[in-house]
Amino acid sequence: MASVTALAGSWASLPTPLTSWVFDVVQSMGHTQMTPVQSSTIPLFMKNKDVVVEAVTGSGKTLAFVIPVLERLIRRDHKLRKNEIGALVISPTRELASQIHSIFSLFLSSQPGTEHPDPDEDVPSTSEPSSSTRLPPPLLLVSSAQSSPVQDVQRFVATGADIIIGTPGRVEEFLLGKGKNAVSTKELEVLILDEADRLLDLGFQQTLTRILMHLPKQRRTGLFSATMTDADALSELVRVGLRNPARIVVKVQSKAIADSGRKLGLGGEERRIPANLKIFYVHCRTSEKLVQLSRIISQETTQNGSSRFIVYFATCACVDYFYRTLPLFLSDNANLYSLHGHLPPAARTRTLSSFAESVCTPSSPSILLATDVAARGLDLPDVDVVLQFDPPSDTKAFSHRCGRTARAGKSGRAWVLLTGREREYVDFLAVRKIPLKQRPYLLDDNSAAPSNDDDRVEDEAVPAYLSKIRELLLSDRALHDAAAKSFVSFVRAYSKHEASYIFRVKDLDLVGVAKSFGLLRLPKMPEFKGEDIGDWKDANVDWDAYTYADEAQETKRLAALEEKASKISAPRPPPPDKTKYVPWSNKISKQEEKEKRREKKDRKKKWLKAQTATESGKDSEAPSASKRGRDDDAVASGNDEDDWEELAREERMAKKLKKGDVSQRDFDMEFAEL
């Protein structure tokens, strides 16, 4: 294991000098000095060494593998054939694959044309190849919105690309599906798994295994991530085929802590976030989260001059809903963007481009509302502030979210809103080397509340916010449906939080959540069973007259309402006559015959019991005339004349059976119907 503590050096200090045009591109990007992860990874990777790299977000991991990939392909002894690939980069999301592709494209678009040096010309002695090798453009496998698997193969055949970039599913289809007979991996030089722990967490283990078994063993492999614990990396190294890898961990310490630690002979405090990133948390009620969110944005724009924000929510439905309601509480000049996994790939790409390229100022900020699909790897320039309306279900995503700001040496701030016992999340993150600093509750004038205790009176702005959202929802029933959907999705996501001992639904103030979502009424959910709704009041709504703004939806609703009314007003049909519907198997008639036989058998048993009692009485003592009369009356009253004769006949046959005058078979045949 290699631990990086020294400062990074210049690009010229690399043991193996970079190709001139690669060096020029790096300089044009403004990277005059290497970051620690680059100075530690590039020399090892270029010297036939597998690497496992863990470094904080924004530390330059992408260049740490882009440059070695290019240099290894440039310095090959033999040029790759048109059907052969030299490098494969796999990322967990389309957005990250697109970003990596853009960086490769930046380098490859700057390379010189293929030139053959004049044999009479004096060539300076350098470590570069004697002739520059021009690489074809990399092939990007991002989404079906841009190309299908068949089109991917067609582009590869047409261009002969050396570098393949994509997500696991599309790469598998490219290598083992549509392109099985068209793509050769025999000469593969480098395999890169970016955000390696996320690839494993998303359930791509089997897909990656099939890809890795298809690739040659004589290759260099690199795993890169900002959060890769020992269990994540070491337990999977054998599976992904790394051979004696060098593990590179970039540790971060604040300068003051590091200096004091050296004076005391200590190593100082480790951090898994950039040193110039400050993370704050505000503890508030669930009903006050939306109030605090709007006030934090207002404070950041007015006091700190922030203009570009990312706000993270728990679910896609929450992003869609707050994208439509949050403008009520922001400045009129604020520009909102929505990004989540349920959007089509083309829409996600357009959103990212529009947000990254938007011109924003503190008076006209750009705000991206997103889920964790925008948490990892994306290099969004000039993000000033990251706000987490909901802490992520995957605890590792916390540092990735915060890492969208304070990138490449810049400073940045991140906020997270915590409620109730979620305060314990701060201690949980401290164990993971992510320090958080508490900020007091913000008031309406952006001043701090004098107290932050749980007994503080609920913010007076909450009813006003609730009323304002309800007024918007009443304008369109579709907004009410979106509100209910987002609320339910949030509760479900909350119940599946990895830190379940902190984030427990039974401790969550569901009524407060409903207030922050501006619901018109509480949805019917098992979580509300036995819940104290306190001062909650449903909105005064005539639900039959509550309409959709969309004509098609409203027509459908009216038709359903009319159908329901017709069913209620229609007379109830009489109960079906069971005797009318006789099944073909005559089960009903057979059942009736069976019941008759059972009744006869019961009467027979009673009569035999009475006869046995009578005969035993004759042997001991003759009964009185009155008793005989009563018994006779009882028997006569319980059986009609026909039954009496039948029972008498059976008794006679039973006596003959006992004496042996008739056989058991004859007796059974005689009385089989009983």
Side-chain angles (χ1 to χ4, degrees):
M1 176 186 296
S3 179
V4 181
T5 56
L7 296 175
S10 65
W11 292 97
S13 65
L14 285 172
T16 304
L18 299 179
T19 304
S20 59
W21 62 267
V22 173
F23 180 79
D24 292 340
V25 175
V26 172
Q27 295 296 310
S28 67
M29 296 171 69
H31 302 305
T32 57
Q33 297 285 323
M34 290 185 291
T35 64
V37 67
Q38 293 164 355
S39 64
S40 303
T41 303
I42 294 176
L44 292 174
F45 218 5
M46 293 179 65
K47 291 182 178 179
N48 299 325
K49 193 74 174 178
D50 290 350
V51 294
V52 178
V53 181
E54 179 182 1
V56 296
T57 58
S59 58
K61 292 187 296 296
T62 304
L63 280 184
F65 65 76
V66 167
I67 291 175
V69 166
L70 294 173
E71 290 291 343
R72 291 187 66 88
L73 295 182
I74 291 172
R75 298 167 189 273
R76 281 180 54 88
D77 294 333
H78 304 286
K79 186 178 179 180
L80 291 168
R81 297 179 180 177
K82 195 170 184 179
N83 68 327
E84 294 176 341
I85 61 175
L88 178 62
V89 182
I90 302 178
S91 70
T93 64
R94 299 181 181 94
E95 288 75 20
L96 185 52
S98 178
Q99 178 177 292
I100 296 170
H101 172 265
S102 65
I103 296 175
F104 272 110
S105 298
L106 177 63
F107 278 90
L108 295 175
S109 62
S110 302
Q111 63 178 322
T114 303
E115 299 176 357
H116 299 282
D118 187 344
D120 298 330
E121 183 180 354
D122 293 334
V123 180
S125 177
T126 66
S127 61
E128 295 186 15
S130 58
S131 63
S132 61
T133 304
R134 183 174 179 84
L135 301 177
L139 175 65
L140 177 63
L141 307 176
V142 176
S143 66
S144 57
Q146 295 186 0
S147 62
S148 65
V150 174
Q151 291 172 330
D152 290 336
V153 177
Q154 291 174 348
R155 286 195 298 156
F156 172 74
V157 172
T159 62
D162 293 346
I163 305 170
I164 307 301
I165 308 166
T167 52
R170 293 300 292 269
V171 170
E172 181 186 20
E173 181 66 24
F174 179 77
L175 297 179
L176 304 175
K178 302 296 183 182
K180 185 175 183 180
N181 298 323
V183 183
S184 173
T185 60
K186 293 181 180 180
E187 295 295 322
L188 185 78
E189 289 271 351
V190 187
L191 168 66
I192 301 295
L193 301 181
D194 197 17
E195 299 295 346
D197 62 322
R198 187 60 175 165
L199 287 169
L200 301 176
D201 292 342
L202 290 177
F204 289 125
Q205 290 90 337
Q206 294 183 356
T207 301
L208 291 175
T209 299
R210 288 190 290 269
I211 294 173
L212 293 169
M213 291 179 64
H214 181 71
L215 302 179
K217 295 182 179 180
Q218 296 295 327
R219 66 170 191 270
R220 297 279 63 78
T221 304
L223 276 66
F224 292 79
S225 181
T227 53
M228 193 184 301
T229 63
D230 290 346
D232 291 323
L234 298 180
S235 63
E236 298 293 339
L237 292 185
V238 175
R239 188 190 64 78
V240 299
L242 274 74
R243 296 178 300 168
N244 191 25
R247 186 156 190 240
I248 301 171
V249 181
V250 176
K251 300 178 180 179
V252 178
Q253 294 177 338
S254 64
K255 188 176 185 301
I257 294 176
D259 291 342
S260 62
R262 281 193 294 270
K263 292 178 181 179
L264 297 174
L266 302 175
E269 180 185 357
E270 291 183 31
R271 293 160 53 101
R272 289 187 178 270
I273 58 173
N276 51 357
L277 171 62
K278 297 179 181 179
I279 306 180
F280 308 109
Y281 77 92
V282 174
H283 188 261
C284 61
R285 289 176 173 81
T286 53
S287 59
E288 299 168 338
K289 289 179 69 174
L290 185 59
V291 176
Q292 281 301 283
L293 176 65
S294 62
R295 290 175 181 172
I296 291 173
I297 294 176
S298 175
Q299 184 191 69
E300 286 286 351
T301 55
T302 56
Q303 297 184 10
N304 299 322
S306 303
S307 59
R308 201 178 298 274
F309 299 79
I310 300 180
V311 183
Y312 287 100
F313 294 90
T315 67
C316 303
C318 291
V319 171
D320 283 336
Y321 175 64
F322 284 103
Y323 176 73
R324 303 180 70 175
T325 57
L326 194 57
L328 293 173
F329 313 106
L330 302 177
S331 66
D332 296 336
N333 296 327
N335 300 310
L336 263 63
Y337 303 86
S338 172
L339 179 66
H340 57 75
H342 289 174
L343 291 174
R348 287 158 57 177
T349 302
R350 286 196 302 269
T351 298
L352 279 175
S353 299
S354 300
F355 175 71
E357 297 170 2
S358 62
V359 178
C360 53
T361 62
S363 60
S364 179
S366 293
I367 305 172
L368 175 66
L369 310 185
T371 59
D372 283 339
V373 73
R376 284 178 174 255
L378 296 182
D379 188 17
L380 299 172
D382 304 325
V383 173
D384 300 308
V385 181
V386 169
L387 290 164
Q388 301 193 54
F389 190 80
D390 307 308
S393 297
D394 180 3
T395 53
K396 289 188 295 185
F398 186 91
S399 59
H400 288 280
R401 284 180 171 186
C402 297
R404 295 317 96 204
T405 184
R407 300 181 65 82
K410 298 179 181 178
S411 61
R413 291 173 301 283
W415 297 72
V416 59
L417 301 177
L418 301 177
T419 66
R421 64 173 294 165
E422 293 175 8
R423 198 197 303 260
E424 299 176 15
Y425 195 52
V426 178
D427 298 331
F428 175 83
L429 292 174
V431 174
R432 298 192 170 222
K433 312 299 182 184
I434 304 175
L436 273 67
K437 183 178 180 181
Q438 185 175 7
R439 282 292 181 90
Y441 186 88
L442 293 179
L443 298 176
D444 196 27
D445 57 356
N446 286 334
S447 63
S451 174
N452 198 42
D453 298 331
D454 293 333
D455 57 356
R456 177 178 51 82
V457 178
E458 185 180 60
D459 196 319
E460 296 179 354
V462 171
Y465 273 56
L466 177 61
S467 176
K468 205 168 185 179
I469 298 178
R470 283 182 168 181
E471 184 179 352
L472 175 64
L473 264 58
L474 289 173
S475 65
D476 185 1
R477 188 163 185 154
L479 285 174
H480 162 263
D481 295 345
K485 180 181 178 181
S486 61
F487 177 85
V488 173
S489 69
F490 168 77
V491 175
R492 288 178 179 174
Y494 198 92
S495 66
K496 297 177 182 178
H497 202 288
E498 285 189 357
S500 57
Y501 63 94
I502 298 176
F503 298 85
R504 300 189 298 185
V505 174
K506 67 178 183 178
D507 297 325
L508 182 64
D509 179 12
L510 294 174
V511 174
V513 177
K515 289 181 180 179
S516 67
F517 278 68
L519 297 186
L520 300 178
R521 62 181 178 184
L522 298 178
K524 295 180 180 180
M525 297 174 62
E527 287 79 5
F528 278 111
K529 188 176 182 180
E531 180 79 8
D532 181 14
I533 63 173
D535 60 347
W536 173 265
K537 292 182 180 179
D538 289 346
N540 186 15
V541 180
D542 182 357
W543 292 96
D544 290 341
Y546 188 20
T547 62
Y548 288 98
D550 182 71
E551 293 183 2
Q553 282 184 298
E554 179 60 17
T555 302
K556 186 177 180 180
R557 186 190 73 86
L558 292 176
L561 192 64
E562 184 178 352
E563 182 180 357
K564 181 180 179 181
S566 62
K567 289 182 179 180
I568 295 176
S569 60
R572 182 174 296 180
D577 184 4
K578 294 183 179 180
T579 60
K580 183 179 179 180
Y581 304 100
V582 180
W584 65 271
S585 58
N586 296 323
K587 288 184 178 180
I588 294 179
S589 60
K590 287 185 178 181
Q591 183 68 23
E592 292 175 351
E593 292 177 1
K594 188 175 181 180
E595 291 177 356
K596 289 180 180 179
R597 289 197 300 270
R598 186 180 294 111
E599 291 175 0
K600 286 184 178 182
K601 185 174 290 187
D602 291 341
R603 291 199 299 269
K604 170 188 171 183
K605 289 180 179 179
K606 291 179 181 179
W607 184 83
L608 289 175
K609 186 176 181 180
Q611 287 296 105
T612 303
T614 302
E615 291 179 357
S616 61
K618 288 180 180 179
D619 295 339
S620 60
E621 181 180 357
S624 63
S626 60
K627 184 176 182 180
R628 287 198 305 270
R630 287 196 302 271
D631 292 341
D632 293 342
D633 292 341
V635 174
S637 62
N639 302 279
D640 56 22
E641 185 177 352
D642 293 338
D643 291 340
W644 177 264
E645 292 179 357
E646 183 69 26
L647 293 172
R649 185 169 66 87
E650 185 175 357
E651 182 187 10
R652 290 193 296 271
M653 287 294 290
K655 289 179 179 180
K656 290 181 180 181
L657 175 63
K658 187 175 182 181
K659 293 178 180 180
D661 295 340
V662 296
S663 64
Q664 181 67 44
R665 183 174 179 276
D666 293 337
F667 180 84
D668 294 338
M669 291 295 292
E670 183 71 20
F671 300 101
E673 71 278 4
L674 298 176

